[in-house]
Amino acid sequence: RQGELPREPIPLWRRQIGGGYSGPLVADGRVWVHSRQGEEEVVSCLKLATGEVLWRRSYAAPFRQDSSARSHGLGPYATPVLREGRLFTFGVTSILMVWDAVDGRLLWRRDSAEEFAPAFPYFGAASSPLVWRDRVLVHLGGHPRGRMEDASSGAMVALRVADGSEIWRWVGDPPAVGATPVAFEVGGQPQIVFKTLRLMVGVDPRSGRELWRVPWPVREDNTIVTPLVLDGRLITSDFDRGLSAWAVESEGHSWTLRRLWESREASMSMSSPVRAGGMVVGFSHLHRGQLFVLDAATGEVTWRGPARRGEHATLVSWGDEVLVFADDGWLTVHEVEDRRLVELARYRLGDTVGWSHPAVADGGIVYRDDASLVVAALSPP
């Protein structure tokens, strides 16, 4: 509880890894992280206990950030995916690399530039890959710089995990700036929902057949928020779009979306919602940054935190608790209680903007601080 834990985390080790906002992954006593050093993107694997570098690989990925987003750096932004001994990284210029997670061997790669120009969204690719059964899904293609309303071309592709061969593709709109695809199931039908530059789409992950679509234009094309599936409801937001929930329903052999509710009490811009304690917890960009709790069934905002919390916060669900990593370097731990958030503890994690997801492991926290990867204990041993 607040006051019982140290205000400052206990540092265990720190390693220079380079820039970027891609979140770390932790499993089996190892940490994997994707970063940038100069004109290259770097993938590193370290021992969780000591910070010893087990392997490190790099590849050329020159990138010039749009002038309106210089504060966001040069990437990479997308958090990697770890599945059955393979590490999937998706770089800022839309290069998908698949590595052997243990020894760092490159298994295969797919470069969007081999097919599309522009090859990536104008702020850089930020959507993580989605691994579903024997395939990995990524949205290739991009948007022209300086002409945000002028869509280029792109395709959501399903590639075989084993060798990168293409299984199917959906063609209909270029990729969103962010917003990672999400897998769920309705009435025995597996579906993948993803956002594009102008749409929100559901497809059958087995065949790529489009099941449904809804228009989803976002001001300044800042489509970033990953949808949340909760109790059969599809809940999402984006910049100045408020919050919306739909039921995904079948009508014979076709599928439709029925809007359940819409709310303007909160709206998310660069932070995706999470589930905790049976409620939706999010960080609204309204009121200059504000945490909120929402009832998924009704759309009622049951609690709001103090205003002016900042531009961005990353939320991690941990059972009934939520970790909030704010852009001022503070990590706060909250519990959902009586349809509201109760703060349990807070920690100062650094002096730089925290845009990436931290990872929790063995009673500690793994996070990025500027160009460093840090592992710290949140309580005394």
Side-chain angles (χ1 to χ4, degrees), residues 77 98 129 143 147 171 176 252 254:
Y77 307 125
V98 183
H143 318 152
R147 303 195 312 277
V171 178
S254 62

Side-chain angles (χ1 to χ4, degrees), residues 244-256:
S244 302
W246 291 269
V248 182
E249 299 175 333
S250 62
E251 296 180 354
H253 296 292
S254 62
W255 291 82
T256 60

Side-chain angles (χ1 to χ4, degrees), residues 6 29 40 53 70 99 102-103 107 115-116 126 129 182 198 217 261 287 289 292 329 352 355-356 372:
E40 295 185 324
V53 177
R70 286 176 181 166
W99 315 85
V102 175
D103 60 26
L107 302 177
E115 181 175 1
F116 297 105
V182 174
R198 296 284 190 265
W261 51 257
H287 309 292
F292 67 90
T352 57
W355 289 89
S356 67
S372 297

Side-chain angles (χ1 to χ4, degrees), residues 253-323:
H253 296 292
S254 62
W255 291 82
T256 60
L257 257 65
R258 179 170 58 88
R259 191 185 295 273
L260 298 172
W261 51 257
E262 189 171 13
S263 173
R264 301 295 301 181
E265 294 186 67
S267 188
M268 290 169 280
S269 173
M270 288 179 284
S271 176
S272 297
V274 299
R275 175 180 186 168
M279 305 292 284
V280 176
V281 180
F283 185 81
S284 175
H285 67 82
L286 305 180
H287 309 292
R288 298 189 179 181
Q290 186 176 45
L291 285 166
F292 67 90
V293 177
L294 177 140
D295 186 319
T298 65
E300 176 193 2
V301 174
T302 60
W303 177 87
R304 294 183 184 84
R308 301 176 182 271
R309 283 292 306 272
E311 183 180 0
H312 174 266
T314 297
L315 278 61
V316 177
S317 178
W318 196 255
D320 288 344
E321 297 182 0
V322 179
L323 281 66

